[in-house]
Amino acid sequence: MDIGVVFQCDPPASEVVELARRAEAAGFSHVWTFDSHLLWQEPFVIYSQILARTERVIVGPMVTNPGTRDWTVTASLFATLNEMYGNRTVCGIGRGDSALRTLGHPPTTIAELRDCVTVIRELAHGRTADYRGRPVSFPWVSGGALEVWIAAYGPRALALAGELGDGYILQLADPDIAAWMIAAVRDAAERAGRDPAAIRFCVAAPAYVGDDLAHQRDQCRWFGGMVGNHVADIVARYGTGTGAAAVPKALTEYIAGRRGYDYAEHGRAGNRHTDFVPDGIVDRFCLLGPVSAHLDRLAALRELGVDQFALYLQHDDKEHTLAAYGESVIPALGGSVPAGS
């Protein structure tokens, strides 16, 4: 199992670059960042500096979206970084949440996401893409490569991940929910005539190593609020549902107490708009406690077929958790070998 890390692009950008350098030295395989340009600094500028200061780590957004940049611009950003640093990027992408909602726009449609994934991947590989009915290409790309990993919770997005994604990103670390989501992606891949084993599965969630569980919960409660935004959209569209195809109740029931959300505090420890998230959800969605608890959860996720765990590092003890993973977690898992090595 690879271990990645997810940073926010808070200033100073030099601190994000330094944390990324430490992550590679500790054995992390991937460095991901949020991509929400009104809330944080521009990630693609920072990626260039991360790649220049490292040798093997793979970088990319968790996640970008089809709505805030022209698709050909996004593809050009990836292709340029890959030309400069040797195919060391990955594109995590979804319908969009904070990046679009802070502009007053809803997330994009599944159809737009499908088209966007295809255009970005084709262009980054140096192939011709059909962009809104017009053939386009990058004549300067030679030997380009880019995996596109699709983030999803709802049934249609999960199906798209199985049909089209090189990888699937699930932003929570509950093994029961992960098993349901992974099965849905694999089923969709099989129906589309793809090999389900060819899809890489990434689980992303906050991780905090330590012994003060109450404090860790308070620091990571924001994550339940972030997930709740996506779940609220699913419930609004599909309802809570019943039967095998229904979204798991553990993912839908806790949002009953949700009363709005302030994106000014999105993804931040101490978010005042996440009081509705109970301790049980924080424990299920996140990895908290001593190293042994993290190893137990990661073993369960690996048994489900998870290829990478990407830990969100948004709390008050980033350096200690990063070091603990490097010293105790990654070696116990056999080490993360960066895909670009």
Side-chain angles (χ1 to χ4, degrees):
M1 176 187 280
D2 282 346
I3 301 293
V5 61
V6 187
F7 298 123
Q8 290 172 340
C9 294
D10 285 314
S14 58
E15 182 176 316
V16 180
V17 175
E18 175 58 21
L19 284 169
R21 190 192 64 78
R22 292 186 199 175
E24 179 179 81
F28 286 77
S29 63
H30 291 67
V31 170
W32 306 85
T33 73
F34 283 49
D35 179 13
S36 216
H37 62 287
L38 291 186
L39 298 177
W40 300 287
Q41 292 181 322
E42 170 56 41
F44 283 91
V45 176
I46 297 173
Y47 296 157
S48 189
Q49 289 296 306
I50 292 173
L51 289 164
R53 294 281 303 277
T54 57
E55 297 179 357
R56 301 174 305 279
V57 74
I58 307 299
V59 305
M62 188 175 285
V63 294
T64 194
N65 68 86
T68 53
R69 297 182 190 87
D70 183 274
W71 306 345
T72 62
V73 171
T74 301
S76 182
L77 290 166
F78 282 112
T80 301
L81 291 172
N82 284 339
E83 189 278 328
M84 293 173 68
Y85 300 105
N87 293 337
R88 289 173 54 202
T89 66
V90 60
C91 177
I93 192 167
R95 293 176 56 218
D97 180 44
S98 59
L100 289 172
R101 294 188 195 276
T102 53
L103 291 170
H105 302 310
T108 58
T109 66
I110 296 295
E112 288 174 306
L113 179 57
R114 178 186 294 277
D115 291 344
C116 179
V117 167
T118 302
V119 167
I120 290 173
R121 184 162 50 202
E122 292 301 290
L123 290 177
H125 278 81
R127 300 188 288 257
T128 299
D130 182 345
Y131 176 62
R132 306 187 191 280
R134 177 185 177 90
V136 295
S137 63
F138 295 151
W140 47 270
V141 172
S142 177
L146 180 70
E147 290 190 353
V148 182
W149 296 14
I150 298 174
Y153 294 106
R156 294 177 63 214
L158 289 167
L160 179 63
E163 293 162 5
L164 200 61
D166 297 300
Y168 163 59
I169 297 171
L170 171 60
Q171 291 165 307
L172 57 83
D174 178 82
D176 293 335
I177 296 174
W180 186 91
M181 299 286 189
I182 289 171
V185 172
R186 285 175 172 160
D187 288 347
E190 192 167 359
R191 290 194 303 271
R194 301 183 68 199
D195 178 6
I199 300 173
R200 300 192 67 193
F201 293 94
C202 174
V203 162
Y208 193 144
V209 175
D211 297 319
D212 188 345
L213 191 57
H215 178 73
Q216 292 174 340
R217 285 170 175 157
D218 286 343
Q219 285 286 300
C220 297
R221 201 174 306 276
W222 64 267
F223 185 67
M226 186 185 83
V227 173
N229 292 331
H230 301 286
V231 175
D233 282 348
I234 295 168
V235 171
R237 176 177 290 272
Y238 300 104
T240 54
T242 58
V247 176
K249 287 185 177 180
L251 192 57
T252 59
E253 287 184 336
Y254 84 96
I255 68 166
R258 183 175 180 268
R259 298 289 183 270
Y261 189 80
D262 184 356
Y263 278 90
E265 297 184 341
H266 183 67
R268 299 193 183 277
N271 187 326
R272 293 167 297 175
H273 296 81
T274 58
D275 291 344
F276 69 93
V277 182
D279 288 350
I281 286 293
V282 181
D283 292 347
R284 292 185 66 166
F285 286 9
C286 306
L287 272 67
L288 311 177
V291 165
S292 59
H294 292 245
L295 289 173
D296 288 345
R297 181 74 66 85
L298 291 172
L301 291 170
R302 183 167 57 181
E303 188 68 22
L304 295 173
V306 174
D307 299 291
Q308 180 184 157
F309 173 65
L311 63 98
Y312 282 95
L313 208 58
Q314 284 87 48
H315 52 65
D316 61 1
D317 202 10
K318 297 180 179 68
E319 289 80 5
H320 174 256
T321 293
L322 192 72
Y325 263 70
E327 294 167 3
S328 302
V329 175
I330 292 173
L333 294 172
S336 288
V337 179
S341 63

